[in-house]
């Protein structure tokens, strides 16, 4: 094992608190809050990160929340005060890719880099498939790839949480009329290849019940790291 592999193993525990550690590293420029609690701006991502070793971090965040605003936290939660409500918890698995098992793209599939002018169409596609976790300016967080059919964006994947050594694969979606054609497989592979080329390791979150997606990721070299909750919270 070389020095870089040791460093990655030491740092992988940062993924236990991925939002908090993203907002304290690569994405610190997006962070609103203080030393105990931080959030992404609402127009970029409805995610919050908390210092679980501090007293009442959710209360610390109130100054940066609107009444009745809904946000998401990944992983363990602190004690929830009366001024907050836990609305829902999704049972997810966090997966990590130490090394891709596939490195060759299908050249017959044309993958394009999605740009600023594509944002409205990106938002329309992903909110029609996976509403709630993507805002109109979420693409500011990383690189996004897509596939068009007859000019229409039908499949995409990209990056969300960014830590110094890791980047979260996210926004993997395909229009229902185009599923089963291997488009998501090619997009995920392309996005992960780009991450490795930049010297960062991919990780992701997926519902435990989504065995089809889990199997796809495992074929590419992802391994299950831990069960982790997606917590939907409301600021009262």
């Amino acid at each position: 094992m070389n020095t870089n592999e040791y460093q990655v193993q030491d740092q992988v525990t940062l993924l236990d608190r991925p939002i908090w550690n993203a907002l304290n590293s690569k994405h610190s420029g997006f962070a609103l809050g203080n030393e105990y609690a931080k959030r992404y701006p609402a127009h970029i991502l409805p995610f919050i990160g908390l210092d679980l070793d501090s007293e009442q971090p959710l209360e610390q965040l109130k100054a940066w929340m609107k009444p009745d605003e809904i946000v998401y936290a990944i992983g363990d939660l602190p004690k929830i005060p009366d001024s907050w409500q836990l609305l829902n918890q999704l049972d997810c698995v966090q997966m990590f890719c130490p090394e891709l098992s596939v490195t060759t793209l299908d050249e017959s599939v044309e993958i394009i880099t999605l740009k600023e002018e594509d944002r409205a169409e990106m938002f329309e596609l992903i909110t029609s498939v996976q509403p709630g976790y993507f805002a109109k300016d979420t693409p500011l967080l990383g690189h996004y790839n897509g596939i068009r059919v007859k000019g229409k964006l039908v499949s995409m994947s990209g990056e969300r949480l960014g830590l110094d050594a890791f980047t979260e694969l996210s926004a993997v979606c395909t229009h229902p009329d185009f599923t089963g054609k291997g488009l998501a497989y090619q997009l995920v592979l392309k996005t992960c290849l780009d991450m490795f080329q930049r010297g960062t390791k991919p990780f992701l979150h997926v519902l435990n019940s989504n065995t089809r997606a889990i199997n796809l990721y495992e074929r590419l070299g992802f391994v299950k790291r831990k069960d982790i909750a997606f917590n939907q919270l409301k600021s009262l």
Side-chain angles (χ1 to χ4, degrees):
M1 185 180 294
N2 61 38
T3 301
N4 288 337
E5 288 172 329
Y6 275 119
Q7 289 175 341
V8 169
Q9 279 197 349
D10 289 343
Q11 294 173 338
V12 77
T13 56
L14 294 174
L15 300 182
D16 291 344
R17 302 180 186 180
I19 303 173
W20 176 248
N21 289 314
L23 289 170
N24 280 287
S25 58
K26 188 176 179 180
H27 281 176
S28 60
F30 295 105
L32 303 175
N34 57 31
E35 61 186 300
Y36 308 109
K38 301 179 190 291
R39 65 165 298 171
Y40 286 91
H43 67 96
I44 292 179
L45 195 65
F47 279 19
I48 63 171
L50 307 168
D51 177 5
L52 298 181
D53 299 320
S54 65
E55 290 287 333
Q56 295 290 334
L58 283 168
E59 285 295 277
Q60 292 281 343
L61 198 61
K62 291 293 286 187
W64 291 272
M65 298 293 301
K66 294 180 180 179
D68 296 326
E69 185 176 359
I70 293 174
V71 290
Y72 298 87
I74 300 175
D76 294 338
L77 290 175
K79 182 179 178 181
I80 299 176
D82 292 340
S83 59
W84 286 79
Q85 182 181 1
L86 177 61
L87 298 178
N88 193 22
Q89 285 184 305
L90 296 177
D91 295 326
C92 295
V93 60
Q94 184 183 82
M95 303 184 74
F96 168 66
C97 185
E99 184 178 3
L100 284 167
S101 58
V102 181
T103 58
T104 303
L105 289 163
D106 182 350
E107 294 183 0
S108 69
V109 179
E110 183 181 359
I111 296 175
I112 60 173
T113 300
L114 296 173
K115 301 178 181 179
E116 184 174 357
E117 56 265 30
D118 300 305
R119 284 188 198 168
E121 200 172 359
M122 294 163 68
F123 182 77
E124 181 182 358
L125 173 61
I126 195 165
T127 52
S128 70
V129 179
Q130 303 170 5
Y133 306 105
F134 192 92
K136 290 186 177 179
D137 288 332
T138 299
L140 291 173
L141 298 177
H143 302 269
Y144 285 77
N145 298 303
I147 295 172
R148 291 186 177 278
V149 175
K150 296 181 179 179
K152 179 180 176 63
L153 183 66
V154 300
S155 191
M156 61 181 276
S157 72
E159 303 170 356
R160 187 167 58 189
L161 301 178
L163 290 76
D164 289 337
F166 309 99
T167 303
E168 184 192 20
L169 174 72
S170 184
V172 180
C173 64
T174 300
H175 189 281
D177 292 345
F178 295 89
T179 57
K181 302 179 184 296
L183 302 184
Y185 182 91
Q186 292 299 314
L187 282 167
V188 169
L189 176 56
K190 168 62 175 170
T191 304
C192 289
L193 285 169
D194 291 345
M195 291 179 189
F196 276 102
Q197 188 173 13
R198 297 197 312 270
T200 183
K201 302 279 188 180
F203 74 103
L204 60 85
H205 300 96
V206 60
L207 284 171
N208 261 311
S209 59
N210 193 349
T211 54
R212 180 177 178 180
I214 291 171
N215 290 337
L216 181 154
Y217 298 133
E218 288 178 333
R219 293 204 312 272
L220 290 169
F222 281 84
V223 294
K224 294 180 180 179
R225 181 174 176 264
K226 65 180 297 182
D227 290 329
I228 198 164
F230 255 66
N231 305 288
Q232 184 185 51
L233 296 153
K234 183 176 182 180
S235 172
L236 304 177

